[in-house]
Every structure is written in structure tokens, then in C-alpha cells.
Amino acid sequence: MDNFDLRGGVLHAEDVALPAIADAVGTPVYVYSTATLERHVRVFRDAIAGLGNGDPLVAFAVKANPNRAVLATLARAGMGADVVSGGELYRALHAGMRPADVVFSGVGKTADEMAQGLSAGIGQFNIESEPELDMLSAVASAMGKVAQIAIRVNPDVIAGTHAKISTGGKENKFGIGYDAAPAAYAHAASLPGLKVRGVAVHIGSQLTDLAPLEAAFGRVGALIATLRGQGHAITHADLGGGLGVPYEPGKPLPPTPADYGAMVARATAGWDTRLMFEPGRLIVANAGILLSRVIRVKQGASAPFVIVDAAMNDLLRPSLYDAWHDIRAVAPTGETVPANIVGPVCETGDTFALGRAMDVVAADDLVAFMTAGAYGATMASTYNSRALVPEVLVSGDAFAVVRERPPIEALADADRLPPWL
Ligand SMILES: *Cc1c(COP(=O)(O)O)cnc(C)c1O
């Protein structure tokens, strides 16, 4: 469900016609819907309401969309944040997320980043290795603080998603091996700067089947019992994110948040912990589109090349993950034709779709890449010396630029010549 609909033959974001945004801000530009963001938070919260002890914490995975206006919208809707860097921590706190509702994840936290999290008083660090336990304890002790932690365990389940977004297999850089977990907990409990409070798991992203998640949660439940038997007070269980969203029309739909909630209820019955969740994509993917203009249409050997002004530097997912994004004309004629949709970047990988049945478009027409709110703008770069793509947030009939398009001169002029040139 989203709030991008045709009205009078023109695609709108809520009550704003997309051509109005293209005229005001230029293209390419990301456009987000406040109503869709709020709706997704509500649907997810409803799906897990009443599960576990107390109110579940829903910590938005900031890496999916770190724009401050998006984070502020989610903070107002009651979300916390799952961050993986000092930069994301800064963004979450400045967007109004409560420190106690912030979880710090990631395999490579530096001592500086740990100190930032401790100074801010964040709720939990998710620890991914024994050396990281030692470092966090040392940093916390030096500051006269105690860090609340969970250990991210690797449940060794196959998530059945794209290899580049699968994180729960044995030979993966994430988490501590399931069999090694009890020893890691014993070590953590012996360190002065740490307070062990939970178990964390996250097996991958864009999961379209609940079975791997349920298997992972089953293993977490067994581990909680083992750890309690060894004297650890496990009061929190962080179940990660990963629920998939529909990208391609006509494909089987991923499980709904309600299906997911019912599975979590089954899997966590009797755990006696507060539950924490880290959804990213589920909250923002369908709340955003990438709006782009057709530069020209070039004849190809079998199908035309529609060359648009968005490129792989603006939306990397198709070239990184072979991802599908639905691509629609903003003012469709009703006619379709097989076409190749490509960007201007000098890489064959700068291809969004090949031989796809596509709305007929001509030079200067607008197109929308749907379901682009997650892992879109956040992965944008300036490759080919292209300006960083801007972002717009819509609410009802209002819209605002929430990240500007910096002038290309600012990028180029940041380079410096050494004294000998
Ligand atoms: C990326 C990530 C998430 C969010 O994943 P989604 O598929 O976007 O829900 C949650 N937790 C951790 C630790 C992550 O790395």
C-alpha cells in the first residue's frame, strides 16, 4: 500500500502532482510520502502489539533511509533507531529519536563510535565478536559507564534471499557463531564495563518467506533458555529486520506484517523478554519513488533504449543486487512497448531494465521508479561527477526539499591541487 496514485491521468504523491515537483526541484529526485511512512509504522506496530514484556521497541534501521526529515517523521510516530555508524547515530539523535530507543549494530564499531554512543546514553549495543566485547568494556570503563549489550548470534540458517543481503549463514561476517555464544556470554559477564541484557539476531534482508525467520527465532529461544540456565539475566530479545516488500507486480506477495506478527507470537511464546525489532525496508521502501525525466529514446537492435536522467549512482540496487523496480510513466498513454531503460553513466551496469514491457514514453516525459524509498538515496554517489540526488518529502498537498541538490561546482571545487601543480 502506498500513496502514489494516478489522478486525472497523472501520477501523484498524496495530493501533489509529480510534474509540479519535477518543475520546482528538477530531476532526478527522490519523493517520499509522509502518509505512507506513517501508515507502515502503524501497520507494523499493530502486527506486534501486545507481544513480549512491555511495549515492543521498533528501531528503524537507519541505513535504509537516513534522511533527517524521514527519521523525524518516524521518531514522531514513535520509532527508535538501529544505527551502524557514528554518522547514523548523529542523524538519529538530531532527528529526535530517544537515546534509550537507539540500538548500535555493526561488526566494525570503532572506539570513537562506542564513546559517542555511551555519551549519548543509547539503550543497547549489539555486539558481533569477542574482541568487540573487550573494546566496548574498556571504552565504557574509561568513561565510568556501563554499556548495556546484546550479543548478535548467527543462527546458521539460510535466509533464501540475494547473497549480498544474506547475513545468517555460518560463513558470514555478522554475529557470533551459535555454538560459540555461551562462551561469549560468559566472557561478557566477566567484563566490568558491560551489562548483558539480551540476544540479537538478523538473518538478512528482503525475506519473502517466514520459515527461515521462524527457524532463527527458534534457535534464539533455545539459546535464551541455555543462557538463563548459566545465570545470565536475559530481559531483551532483538529480532532484527528483514521482512521483504513487493517490488515486482505479478510476483507472489511477501508475508504481510500481520503474518509476521502471528509467527513472532508463536515463536516467542514463553520467552519472558521485551521484544525489539529493526525493520528498515518494510517501513520506507514503498514510501518513496525516484522521479526521473527521459533524456532521449535511442533505437536499439531489438528494443528501444529509453535513456533517463537517473542513473546507477542515484539508484544502485538494480546494478548491485539485480533488483527490479517497477518503472511507470507519470502520465501514461495506456500503450506499452518492450524497452530497455538505462541511465547516462558510462557503465553497462547502468541498466534498470532490459526488454521490459514499459509505458510508451518520449523525450522530456517523466517516469517514476517505484518502491525506491529504501536503500535508494542512501546509496547514492556522485560517480561520473553527477550531482548528488536531492530528496523531497510530501505531506498532503505540501512538499518540501529535505535534501538539496548540491551544485556540481561544490563537489569539483572540494578537490585541491598539490603545491607542485
Ligand atoms: C540492514 C539491517 C536491518 C534492516 O533490514 P531490512 O531488511 O531493511 O528490514 C536490521 N538490522 C540490522 C542489524 C541490519 O544490518
Side-chain angles (χ1 to χ4, degrees):
M1 250 300 284
D2 63 45
N3 295 75
F4 298 98
D5 298 303
L6 282 177
R7 293 190 191 172
V10 176
L11 196 59
H12 281 58
E14 302 190 23
D15 300 332
V16 179
L18 291 175
I21 295 177
D23 288 347
V25 188
T27 53
V29 57
Y30 278 90
V31 180
Y32 307 126
S33 158
T34 301
T36 311
L37 292 170
E38 290 174 345
R39 180 174 188 280
H40 289 170
V41 177
R42 208 160 52 235
V43 167
F44 190 78
R45 280 202 167 282
D46 287 351
I48 55 158
L51 302 184
N53 296 345
D55 196 22
L57 172 64
V58 186
F60 174 65
V62 172
K63 75 177 190 286
N65 189 322
N67 184 283
R68 196 180 290 187
V70 170
L71 296 183
T73 302
L74 299 179
R76 280 200 190 184
M79 290 191 102
D82 172 52
V83 304
V84 296
S85 70
E88 287 192 355
L89 174 63
Y90 178 88
R91 283 172 177 270
L93 296 175
H94 282 77
M97 263 99 176
R98 293 176 52 226
D101 294 343
V102 174
V103 178
F104 204 143
S105 301
V107 295
K109 300 175 207 76
T110 64
D112 275 353
E113 289 175 321
M114 291 172 176
Q116 272 178 58
L118 288 162
S119 298
I122 66 164
Q124 180 171 303
F125 290 85
N126 286 353
I127 301 299
E128 306 218 12
S129 65
E130 294 230 16
E132 190 188 353
L133 289 171
D134 294 321
M135 182 188 270
L136 180 59
S137 177
V139 172
S141 296
M143 296 172 71
K145 293 185 184 287
V146 172
Q148 304 195 96
I149 68 147
I151 291 181
R152 176 172 175 180
V153 295
N154 182 331
D156 193 21
V157 299
I158 303 304
T161 185
H162 191 281
K164 283 189 180 152
I165 48 177
S166 180
T167 60
K170 204 181 337 204
E171 294 296 338
N172 193 283
K173 76 175 180 179
F174 295 103
I176 285 183
Y178 189 79
D179 296 335
Y185 274 88
H187 183 55
S190 76
L191 294 171
L194 305 184
K195 174 163 189 313
V196 173
R197 75 171 202 183
V199 179
V201 70
H202 173 76
I203 62 169
S205 199
Q206 186 53 17
L207 306 179
T208 52
D209 179 5
L210 293 176
L213 284 166
E214 189 159 6
F217 298 166
R219 303 204 83 189
V220 169
L223 180 63
I224 290 172
T226 303
L227 295 173
R228 285 186 175 144
Q230 294 168 352
H232 300 286
I234 303 297
T235 55
H236 289 70
D238 182 342
L239 301 181
L243 194 55
V245 301
Y247 280 101
E248 190 172 342
K251 280 279 161 80
L253 290 173
T256 64
D259 298 335
Y260 173 83
M263 180 276 286
V264 171
R266 268 198 315 275
T268 65
W271 280 15
D272 191 21
T273 57
R274 185 178 185 207
L275 296 180
M276 303 166 60
F277 299 88
E278 302 170 349
R281 189 187 310 268
L282 188 71
I283 304 294
V284 291
N286 282 324
I289 63 155
L290 173 60
L291 181 61
S292 176
R293 198 178 285 283
V294 176
I295 298 174
R296 66 180 65 85
V297 179
K298 167 180 164 173
Q299 205 43 58
S302 55
F305 285 93
V306 175
I307 303 166
V308 296
D309 66 2
M312 63 186 287
N313 68 298
D314 306 305
L315 177 63
L316 186 59
R317 297 187 68 257
S319 68
L320 186 61
Y321 306 134
D322 304 313
W324 172 290
H325 285 272
D326 200 18
I327 306 169
R328 301 192 199 156
V330 166
T333 61
E335 256 186 290
T336 62
V337 66
N340 308 310
I341 297 95
V342 300
V345 161
C346 296
E347 295 273 352
T348 305
D350 187 24
T351 297
F352 294 113
L354 284 178
R356 185 186 296 183
M358 165 76 197
D359 291 330
V360 171
V361 286
D364 284 333
D365 287 353
L366 292 169
V367 296
F369 292 77
M370 308 305 292
T371 321
Y375 307 104
T378 180
M379 287 192 189
S381 75
T382 58
Y383 185 43
N384 273 216
S385 288
R386 290 165 52 85
L388 199 61
V389 63
E391 297 167 274
V392 162
L393 182 64
V394 171
S395 179
D397 60 4
F399 70 89
V401 175
V402 293
R403 184 172 76 192
E404 294 188 351
R405 187 194 318 274
I408 200 66
E409 293 77 11
L411 176 72
D413 295 347
D415 293 358
R416 293 281 174 270
L417 291 177
W420 60 87
L421 285 178

